[in-house]
Tab-separated table of all heavy atoms in Angstrom:
chain	number	residue	atom	x	y	z
O	1	PRO	N	0.810	-1.189	0.061
O	1	PRO	CA	0.083	-0.030	0.020
O	1	PRO	C	0.841	1.261	0.013
O	1	PRO	O	2.012	1.290	0.490
O	1	PRO	CB	-0.703	-0.181	1.282
O	1	PRO	CG	-0.838	-1.559	1.679
O	1	PRO	CD	0.536	-2.140	1.160
O	2	VAL	N	0.305	2.331	-0.592
O	2	VAL	CA	0.926	3.585	-0.578
O	2	VAL	C	1.120	4.125	0.915
O	2	VAL	O	0.291	3.942	1.725
O	2	VAL	CB	0.085	4.701	-1.302
O	2	VAL	CG1	0.753	6.015	-1.251
O	2	VAL	CG2	0.042	4.318	-2.752
O	3	GLN	N	2.257	4.664	1.210
O	3	GLN	CA	2.653	5.255	2.494
O	3	GLN	C	2.984	6.594	2.470
O	3	GLN	O	3.262	7.158	1.450
O	3	GLN	CB	3.773	4.336	3.144
O	3	GLN	CG	3.522	2.764	3.225
O	3	GLN	CD	4.658	2.174	3.645
O	3	GLN	OE1	4.932	2.082	4.824
O	3	GLN	NE2	5.430	1.443	2.783
O	4	ASP	N	3.063	7.225	3.704
O	4	ASP	CA	3.403	8.692	3.809
O	4	ASP	C	4.637	8.767	4.660
O	4	ASP	O	4.527	8.375	5.896
O	4	ASP	CB	2.277	9.462	4.553
O	4	ASP	CG	2.478	10.896	4.457
O	4	ASP	OD1	3.524	11.379	3.985
O	4	ASP	OD2	1.603	11.592	5.004
O	5	GLN	N	5.746	9.307	4.129
O	5	GLN	CA	6.948	9.457	4.888
O	5	GLN	C	6.951	10.669	5.813
O	5	GLN	O	7.802	10.853	6.681
O	5	GLN	CB	8.198	9.643	3.866
O	5	GLN	CG	8.342	10.870	3.243
O	5	GLN	CD	9.400	10.936	2.317
O	5	GLN	OE1	9.410	10.112	1.285
O	5	GLN	NE2	10.400	11.850	2.554
O	6	GLY	N	5.986	11.434	5.710
O	6	GLY	CA	5.947	12.723	6.497
O	6	GLY	C	6.828	13.791	6.000
O	6	GLY	O	7.002	13.791	4.807
O	7	THR	N	7.354	14.695	6.963
O	7	THR	CA	8.127	15.735	6.327
O	7	THR	C	9.613	15.594	6.553
O	7	THR	O	10.294	16.595	6.597
O	7	THR	CB	7.706	16.986	7.103
O	7	THR	OG1	7.714	16.941	8.475
O	7	THR	CG2	6.177	17.400	6.709
O	8	VAL	N	10.039	14.383	6.788
O	8	VAL	CA	11.489	14.073	6.908
O	8	VAL	C	12.053	13.489	5.685
O	8	VAL	O	11.335	13.001	4.823
O	8	VAL	CB	11.733	13.185	8.143
O	8	VAL	CG1	11.314	13.877	9.430
O	8	VAL	CG2	10.901	11.911	8.087
O	9	GLY	N	13.395	13.416	5.578
O	9	GLY	CA	14.084	13.075	4.399
O	9	GLY	C	14.317	11.558	4.285
O	9	GLY	O	15.496	11.081	4.369
O	10	THR	N	13.284	10.731	4.357
O	10	THR	CA	13.482	9.210	4.272
O	10	THR	C	13.004	8.654	3.000
O	10	THR	O	12.751	7.443	2.895
O	10	THR	CB	12.690	8.582	5.487
O	10	THR	OG1	11.305	9.057	5.444
O	10	THR	CG2	13.121	9.167	6.874
O	11	CYS	N	12.964	9.415	2.006
O	11	CYS	CA	12.402	8.787	0.637
O	11	CYS	C	13.341	7.742	0.215
O	11	CYS	O	12.984	6.793	-0.409
O	11	CYS	CB	12.278	9.885	-0.324
O	11	CYS	SG	13.853	10.755	-0.637
O	12	TRP	N	14.667	7.837	0.427
O	12	TRP	CA	15.642	6.819	0.111
O	12	TRP	C	15.309	5.466	0.777
O	12	TRP	O	15.501	4.429	0.017
O	12	TRP	CB	16.959	7.293	0.582
O	12	TRP	CG	17.270	7.397	2.024
O	12	TRP	CD1	16.778	8.497	2.833
O	12	TRP	CD2	17.677	6.486	2.932
O	12	TRP	NE1	17.141	8.285	4.141
O	12	TRP	CE2	17.761	7.013	4.173
O	12	TRP	CE3	18.223	5.086	2.783
O	12	TRP	CZ2	18.088	6.388	5.340
O	12	TRP	CZ3	18.695	4.427	3.899
O	12	TRP	CH2	18.579	5.083	5.203
O	13	ALA	N	14.831	5.448	1.948
O	13	ALA	CA	14.460	4.193	2.592
O	13	ALA	C	13.193	3.633	2.046
O	13	ALA	O	13.130	2.443	1.720
O	13	ALA	CB	14.240	4.410	4.117
O	14	PHE	N	12.185	4.402	1.652
O	14	PHE	CA	10.949	3.951	1.025
O	14	PHE	C	11.194	3.406	-0.293
O	14	PHE	O	10.786	2.425	-0.793
O	14	PHE	CB	9.925	5.054	1.036
O	14	PHE	CG	9.284	5.188	2.408
O	14	PHE	CD1	9.764	6.061	3.315
O	14	PHE	CD2	8.036	4.503	2.668
O	14	PHE	CE1	9.279	6.256	4.464
O	14	PHE	CE2	7.484	4.678	3.875
O	14	PHE	CZ	7.983	5.576	4.792
O	15	SER	N	12.095	4.183	-1.047
O	15	SER	CA	12.524	3.691	-2.464
O	15	SER	C	13.220	2.430	-2.403
O	15	SER	O	12.839	1.376	-3.187
O	15	SER	CB	13.432	4.684	-3.012
O	15	SER	OG	13.862	4.328	-4.255
O	16	THR	N	14.130	2.237	-1.456
O	16	THR	CA	14.855	0.920	-1.378
O	16	THR	C	13.939	-0.198	-0.871
O	16	THR	O	13.973	-1.395	-1.637
O	16	THR	CB	16.012	1.080	-0.268
O	16	THR	OG1	16.817	2.122	-0.721
O	16	THR	CG2	16.811	-0.214	-0.169
O	17	VAL	N	13.225	-0.066	0.128
O	17	VAL	CA	12.303	-1.104	0.587
O	17	VAL	C	11.352	-1.499	-0.403
O	17	VAL	O	10.963	-2.676	-0.683
O	17	VAL	CB	11.661	-0.615	1.878
O	17	VAL	CG1	10.678	-1.738	2.368
O	17	VAL	CG2	12.785	-0.590	3.017
O	18	GLY	N	10.727	-0.543	-1.072
O	18	GLY	CA	9.672	-0.831	-2.153
O	18	GLY	C	10.209	-1.677	-3.261
O	18	GLY	O	9.580	-2.626	-3.766
O	19	ASN	N	11.550	-1.394	-3.632
O	19	ASN	CA	12.109	-2.210	-4.690
O	19	ASN	C	12.394	-3.651	-4.263
O	19	ASN	O	12.168	-4.524	-4.953
O	19	ASN	CB	13.368	-1.594	-5.147
O	19	ASN	CG	14.005	-2.158	-6.443
O	19	ASN	OD1	13.326	-2.643	-7.225
O	19	ASN	ND2	15.271	-2.268	-6.302
O	20	VAL	N	12.887	-3.775	-2.964
O	20	VAL	CA	13.132	-5.043	-2.451
O	20	VAL	C	11.846	-5.901	-2.271
O	20	VAL	O	11.861	-7.109	-2.608
O	20	VAL	CB	13.871	-4.849	-1.026
O	20	VAL	CG1	13.960	-6.305	-0.387
O	20	VAL	CG2	15.212	-4.350	-1.140
O	21	GLU	N	10.888	-5.189	-1.910
O	21	GLU	CA	9.509	-5.787	-1.808
O	21	GLU	C	9.067	-6.387	-3.198
O	21	GLU	O	8.505	-7.664	-3.359
O	21	GLU	CB	8.431	-5.045	-1.188
O	21	GLU	CG	8.592	-4.694	0.204
O	21	GLU	CD	7.631	-3.634	0.769
O	21	GLU	OE1	7.108	-2.884	-0.098
O	21	GLU	OE2	7.400	-3.525	1.954
O	22	GLY	N	9.275	-5.506	-4.158
O	22	GLY	CA	8.786	-5.837	-5.580
O	22	GLY	C	9.637	-7.105	-6.122
O	22	GLY	O	9.117	-7.942	-6.774
O	23	GLN	N	10.948	-6.980	-5.910
O	23	GLN	CA	11.841	-8.066	-6.401
O	23	GLN	C	11.516	-9.397	-5.729
O	23	GLN	O	11.521	-10.444	-6.294
O	23	GLN	CB	13.238	-7.680	-6.141
O	23	GLN	CG	13.835	-6.542	-6.954
O	23	GLN	CD	13.645	-6.745	-8.436
O	23	GLN	OE1	13.917	-7.924	-8.873
O	23	GLN	NE2	13.438	-5.716	-9.060
O	24	HIS	N	11.223	-9.337	-4.316
O	24	HIS	CA	10.765	-10.513	-3.683
O	24	HIS	C	9.497	-11.128	-4.172
O	24	HIS	O	9.383	-12.327	-4.434
O	24	HIS	CB	10.506	-10.180	-2.250
O	24	HIS	CG	10.148	-11.394	-1.426
O	24	HIS	ND1	8.930	-11.801	-1.138
O	24	HIS	CD2	10.932	-12.279	-0.616
O	24	HIS	CE1	8.810	-12.830	-0.356
O	24	HIS	NE2	10.110	-13.187	0.010
O	25	PHE	N	8.555	-10.207	-4.584
O	25	PHE	CA	7.356	-10.849	-5.188
O	25	PHE	C	7.618	-11.444	-6.568
O	25	PHE	O	7.088	-12.529	-6.855
O	25	PHE	CB	6.281	-9.581	-5.386
O	25	PHE	CG	5.019	-9.994	-6.046
O	25	PHE	CD1	4.032	-10.628	-5.367
O	25	PHE	CD2	4.769	-9.808	-7.430
O	25	PHE	CE1	2.863	-11.093	-5.934
O	25	PHE	CE2	3.665	-10.311	-8.080
O	25	PHE	CZ	2.673	-10.894	-7.256
O	26	LEU	N	8.372	-10.848	-7.407
O	26	LEU	CA	8.757	-11.398	-8.629
O	26	LEU	C	9.458	-12.705	-8.565
O	26	LEU	O	9.217	-13.704	-9.350
O	26	LEU	CB	9.638	-10.460	-9.515
O	26	LEU	CG	8.998	-9.126	-10.018
O	26	LEU	CD1	10.066	-8.216	-10.589
O	26	LEU	CD2	7.781	-9.375	-10.877
O	27	LYS	N	10.180	-12.877	-7.460
O	27	LYS	CA	10.981	-14.121	-7.319
O	27	LYS	C	10.075	-15.189	-6.727
O	27	LYS	O	10.141	-16.440	-7.032
O	27	LYS	CB	12.160	-13.835	-6.376
O	27	LYS	CG	13.003	-14.997	-6.226
O	27	LYS	CD	13.814	-15.406	-7.523
O	27	LYS	CE	14.907	-16.422	-7.333
O	27	LYS	NZ	15.647	-16.718	-8.475
O	28	THR	N	9.238	-14.881	-5.638
O	28	THR	CA	8.479	-15.824	-4.912
O	28	THR	C	7.028	-15.805	-5.085
O	28	THR	O	6.331	-16.715	-4.573
O	28	THR	CB	8.769	-15.705	-3.557
O	28	THR	OG1	8.252	-14.398	-2.982
O	28	THR	CG2	10.308	-15.630	-3.237
O	29	ASN	N	6.371	-14.757	-5.778
O	29	ASN	CA	5.011	-14.527	-5.873
O	29	ASN	C	4.386	-14.404	-4.541
O	29	ASN	O	3.119	-14.671	-4.244
O	29	ASN	CB	4.308	-15.712	-6.553
O	29	ASN	CG	3.020	-15.290	-7.271
O	29	ASN	OD1	2.906	-14.269	-7.723
O	29	ASN	ND2	2.031	-16.125	-7.218
O	30	GLN	N	4.984	-13.819	-3.500
O	30	GLN	CA	4.626	-13.569	-2.219
O	30	GLN	C	4.711	-12.094	-1.869
O	30	GLN	O	5.650	-11.500	-2.122
O	30	GLN	CB	5.339	-14.437	-1.104
O	30	GLN	CG	5.278	-15.894	-1.249
O	30	GLN	CD	6.005	-16.714	-0.291
O	30	GLN	OE1	6.853	-16.116	0.399
O	30	GLN	NE2	5.713	-17.936	-0.125
O	31	THR	N	3.651	-11.555	-1.312
O	31	THR	CA	3.635	-10.255	-0.854
O	31	THR	C	4.132	-10.060	0.437
O	31	THR	O	3.690	-10.781	1.364
O	31	THR	CB	2.215	-9.558	-0.940
O	31	THR	OG1	1.601	-9.703	-2.360
O	31	THR	CG2	2.090	-8.186	-0.631
O	32	ILE	N	4.977	-8.974	0.684
O	32	ILE	CA	5.627	-8.872	2.047
O	32	ILE	C	5.607	-7.280	2.217
O	32	ILE	O	5.794	-6.509	1.294
O	32	ILE	CB	6.939	-9.397	2.195
O	32	ILE	CG1	7.992	-8.986	1.055
O	32	ILE	CG2	6.929	-10.816	2.219
O	32	ILE	CD1	9.369	-9.240	1.371
O	33	ASN	N	5.447	-6.998	3.445
O	33	ASN	CA	5.760	-5.489	3.827
O	33	ASN	C	6.990	-5.465	4.785
O	33	ASN	O	6.875	-5.920	5.928
O	33	ASN	CB	4.411	-4.879	4.589
O	33	ASN	CG	3.238	-4.824	3.676
O	33	ASN	OD1	3.341	-4.378	2.501
O	33	ASN	ND2	2.007	-5.304	4.026
O	34	LEU	N	7.959	-4.795	4.350
O	34	LEU	CA	9.229	-4.654	5.204
O	34	LEU	C	9.420	-3.285	5.757
O	34	LEU	O	8.658	-2.332	5.450
O	34	LEU	CB	10.393	-4.985	4.192
O	34	LEU	CG	10.383	-6.314	3.459
O	34	LEU	CD1	11.533	-6.574	2.559
O	34	LEU	CD2	10.457	-7.403	4.659
O	35	SER	N	10.405	-3.230	6.601
O	35	SER	CA	10.612	-2.065	7.503
O	35	SER	C	11.343	-0.994	6.784
O	35	SER	O	12.704	-1.174	6.739
O	35	SER	CB	11.098	-2.410	8.908
O	35	SER	OG	11.443	-1.431	9.677
O	36	GLU	N	10.808	0.225	6.567
O	36	GLU	CA	11.640	1.413	6.216
O	36	GLU	C	12.392	1.967	7.531
O	36	GLU	O	13.516	2.421	7.436
O	36	GLU	CB	10.847	2.526	5.685
O	36	GLU	CG	10.123	2.130	4.309
O	36	GLU	CD	8.944	1.284	4.467
O	36	GLU	OE1	8.453	1.219	5.508
O	36	GLU	OE2	8.381	0.808	3.317
O	37	GLU	N	11.778	1.874	8.665
O	37	GLU	CA	12.267	2.401	9.874
O	37	GLU	C	13.607	1.752	10.251
O	37	GLU	O	14.503	2.490	10.887
O	37	GLU	CB	11.270	2.356	10.974
O	37	GLU	CG	11.677	3.035	12.296
O	37	GLU	CD	11.722	4.521	12.081
O	37	GLU	OE1	10.983	5.051	11.339
O	37	GLU	OE2	12.469	5.251	12.798
O	38	PHE	N	13.640	0.464	10.015
O	38	PHE	CA	14.872	-0.257	10.304
O	38	PHE	C	16.094	0.341	9.580
O	38	PHE	O	17.194	0.586	10.142
O	38	PHE	CB	14.875	-1.733	9.875
O	38	PHE	CG	16.032	-2.603	10.039
O	38	PHE	CD1	16.386	-2.781	11.331
O	38	PHE	CD2	16.808	-3.014	9.020
O	38	PHE	CE1	17.539	-3.696	11.568
O	38	PHE	CE2	17.901	-3.686	9.158
O	38	PHE	CZ	18.331	-4.092	10.545
O	39	LEU	N	15.984	0.717	8.290
O	39	LEU	CA	16.982	1.530	7.509
O	39	LEU	C	17.282	2.859	8.151
O	39	LEU	O	18.454	3.189	8.301
O	39	LEU	CB	16.643	1.541	6.098
O	39	LEU	CG	16.622	0.363	5.142
O	39	LEU	CD1	16.213	0.594	3.721
O	39	LEU	CD2	17.961	-0.387	5.226
O	40	VAL	N	16.327	3.574	8.358
O	40	VAL	CA	16.363	4.914	8.914
O	40	VAL	C	17.174	4.846	10.247
O	40	VAL	O	18.088	5.757	10.440
O	40	VAL	CB	15.080	5.589	9.131
O	40	VAL	CG1	15.026	6.995	9.869
O	40	VAL	CG2	14.239	5.701	7.812
O	41	ASP	N	16.854	3.942	11.103
O	41	ASP	CA	17.493	3.910	12.441
O	41	ASP	C	18.845	3.253	12.421
O	41	ASP	O	19.727	3.760	13.174
O	41	ASP	CB	16.529	3.053	13.385
O	41	ASP	CG	15.336	3.699	13.803
O	41	ASP	OD1	15.113	4.915	13.555
O	41	ASP	OD2	14.436	3.099	14.396
O	42	CYS	N	19.106	2.302	11.625
O	42	CYS	CA	20.280	1.457	11.718
O	42	CYS	C	21.378	1.601	10.606
O	42	CYS	O	22.530	1.265	10.783
O	42	CYS	CB	19.864	-0.014	11.829
O	42	CYS	SG	18.735	-0.364	13.126
O	43	ASP	N	20.884	2.114	9.492
O	43	ASP	CA	21.829	2.135	8.258
O	43	ASP	C	22.623	3.377	8.317
O	43	ASP	O	22.123	4.574	8.098
O	43	ASP	CB	21.074	2.087	6.977
O	43	ASP	CG	22.003	2.121	5.781
O	43	ASP	OD1	23.186	1.974	5.947
O	43	ASP	OD2	21.396	2.273	4.730
O	44	GLY	N	23.932	3.316	8.529
O	44	GLY	CA	24.859	4.484	8.497
O	44	GLY	C	25.956	4.132	7.498
O	44	GLY	O	26.985	4.735	7.523
O	45	THR	N	25.677	3.356	6.364
O	45	THR	CA	26.607	2.976	5.362
O	45	THR	C	27.016	4.305	4.645
O	45	THR	O	26.251	5.209	4.349
O	45	THR	CB	25.960	2.117	4.368
O	45	THR	OG1	25.440	0.990	5.039
O	45	THR	CG2	26.978	1.634	3.323
O	46	HIS	N	28.363	4.356	4.372
O	46	HIS	CA	28.937	5.570	3.595
O	46	HIS	C	30.000	5.057	2.706
O	46	HIS	O	30.600	3.990	2.931
O	46	HIS	CB	29.411	6.580	4.561
O	46	HIS	CG	30.425	6.164	5.359
O	46	HIS	ND1	31.819	6.178	5.057
O	46	HIS	CD2	30.423	5.557	6.710
O	46	HIS	CE1	32.556	5.766	6.048
O	46	HIS	NE2	31.704	5.363	6.987
O	47	ASP	N	30.315	5.912	1.692
O	47	ASP	CA	31.460	5.726	0.900
O	47	ASP	C	32.228	7.072	0.826
O	47	ASP	O	32.068	7.861	1.721
O	47	ASP	CB	31.217	5.170	-0.516
O	47	ASP	CG	30.249	6.037	-1.252
O	47	ASP	OD1	30.067	7.241	-0.925
O	47	ASP	OD2	29.560	5.536	-2.175
O	48	ASP	N	32.982	7.294	-0.231
O	48	ASP	CA	33.837	8.547	-0.245
O	48	ASP	C	33.062	9.807	-0.508
O	48	ASP	O	33.483	10.888	-0.246
O	48	ASP	CB	34.973	8.398	-1.385
O	48	ASP	CG	35.940	7.279	-1.014
O	48	ASP	OD1	36.162	7.011	0.248
O	48	ASP	OD2	36.594	6.845	-1.964
């Protein structure tokens, strides 16, 4: 379902999770709802 990120800059997390959910469906034919908040809280990945 469509979600609302509010007024904070978390579109990157919703974009990522939405794509992962879609790829999972194409692979397994199963619908899942995964956590954007997990990325927002825990992901501090960086490069140069």
Side-chain angles (χ1 to χ4, degrees):
V2 175
Q3 301 176 79
D4 184 0
Q5 73 183 60
T7 57
V8 293
T10 54
C11 56
W12 62 277
F14 282 87
S15 174
T16 302
V17 171
N19 187 41
V20 171
E21 291 171 345
Q23 295 299 325
H24 181 272
F25 177 82
L26 291 176
K27 186 70 174 180
T28 67
N29 205 37
Q30 296 178 345
T31 304
I32 55 173
N33 293 316
L34 300 174
S35 172
E36 293 85 8
E37 188 68 27
F38 180 71
L39 290 180
V40 175
D41 289 348
C42 305
D43 180 12
T45 306
H46 62 86
D47 58 17
D48 294 337

